[in-house]
Amino acid sequence: MVCALGAAVCFGTATVLQAVAARSAATGGGGEAALLLRALRQWRYLAGLALDGLGFVFQIIALRSIPIYAVAAALASSLAVTGVVAARLLKVRLSGTEWGAVGVVCAGLAMLGLASGAEGGRHGSTALKYAMLAIAVVVLLLGLFAGRWSGRGRALALGLGAGFGFGVVEVSVRLIDSLAPSELFTNPATYALVIGGGAAFLLLTSALQRGSVTTATAGLVIGETIGPAAVGVVWLGDRTRDGLAWLAVLGFLIAVAGALALARFGEAPTTDVPTTEAAA
């Protein structure tokens, strides 16, 4: 659980650092490529990327040691981390309700920590591995055609799609039994992980650029928590400590509900950045 929480801290902090750097880089001209190059010259953006990489390592370690439902809820709590860090670094004011939601997330995670058992001992079937690959391909297709969508439900649909993609990553990590090249490159879960992760980033980017951040992030949280948790319990044998299944379910629901209340932090809140920092 410590690694899962470490991943949440890394992802949540990286969001704020990258948002600050991106806004500083936006002061110049040029297209998306120029914006990216300017962002890469800023230490905050590079620090954010490093934290993302470290968070992914923590996520993999967590998924190999505790149930998926606990990791999924912990990753959703990165929104609470983003909110707290934004309040400190960006001087964003959190309402009393939002501070309450941060507390709710922490309470839910504490319940999960008490109730979670070890990861399930079942090895995923070949059918499940191909199912993850199929879902990843569908999510990728959604990402490729996302630019043509319109309507009020667009942000929610894109957010859900991104959530499903990240959910595929969570499950696929558990379905990769060996890192030996001969087995790694013949395992459908390997390709599901790569395609699902890439498609999820594509969909999430489109959702945040073209719709409501709050709606898209709410869809993301739902998509990346409920489905993977169910797969872990039903097909991979994830269980709780004896007699504490009720506490795990309650903690999971509370943590996810708290994260949904903080959905506006799916993209770090905007604030003015001094022009002198643009050259940092």
Side-chain angles (χ1 to χ4, degrees):
M1 194 66 177
V2 173
C3 286
L5 293 175
V9 170
C10 288
F11 292 144
T13 305
T15 297
V16 178
L17 292 175
Q18 289 168 341
V20 173
R23 285 195 295 275
S24 297
T27 56
E32 294 298 322
L35 173 62
L36 178 59
L37 289 175
R38 288 195 299 272
L40 287 172
R41 290 198 294 267
Q42 302 211 22
W43 70 266
R44 290 182 182 86
Y45 194 85
L46 295 176
L49 290 178
L51 284 174
D52 280 334
L54 181 60
F56 185 64
V57 172
F58 281 146
Q59 179 184 358
I60 291 176
I61 295 173
L63 286 167
R64 304 295 295 185
S65 56
I66 62 175
I68 293 176
Y69 63 78
V71 178
L75 294 180
S77 75
S78 65
L79 293 173
V81 176
T82 298
V84 173
V85 174
R88 294 286 184 179
L89 296 185
L90 304 182
K91 308 303 180 184
V92 173
R93 293 177 61 88
L94 271 68
S95 67
T97 300
E98 288 170 336
W99 279 116
V102 172
V104 165
V105 168
C106 294
L109 292 176
M111 294 179 188
L112 277 172
L114 291 172
S116 297
E119 67 167 335
R122 298 181 198 166
H123 295 289
S125 65
T126 301
L128 180 59
K129 295 175 182 178
Y130 277 106
M132 290 300 105
L133 179 57
I135 294 173
V137 171
V138 170
V139 172
L140 177 61
L141 292 176
L142 288 176
L144 294 177
F145 290 99
R148 304 179 183 180
W149 293 10
S150 61
R152 297 179 61 182
R154 173 179 184 161
L156 179 60
L158 293 175
L160 279 171
F164 290 145
F166 288 126
V168 167
V169 172
E170 294 171 17
V171 175
S172 296
V173 168
R174 286 277 298 276
L175 297 178
I176 297 175
D177 302 319
S178 172
L179 296 180
S182 59
E183 297 185 32
L184 186 64
F185 292 112
T186 57
N187 188 341
T190 301
Y191 302 98
L193 187 154
V194 175
I195 296 173
F201 278 113
L202 180 64
L203 278 169
L204 184 59
T205 299
S206 180
L208 295 178
Q209 288 177 341
R210 302 172 185 273
S212 165
V213 170
T214 301
T215 302
T217 305
L220 171 69
V221 170
I222 293 172
E224 73 175 347
T225 55
I226 297 176
V231 171
V233 171
V234 176
W235 284 286
L236 298 178
D238 287 348
R239 293 293 181 267
T240 64
R241 295 181 181 178
D242 291 341
L244 293 181
W246 66 272
L247 185 61
V249 173
L250 182 61
F252 179 85
L253 293 177
I254 287 176
V256 172
L260 289 174
L262 295 165
R264 77 180 179 98
F265 292 103
E267 183 179 59
T270 58
T271 188
D272 293 332
V273 179
T275 55
T276 55
E277 293 188 7

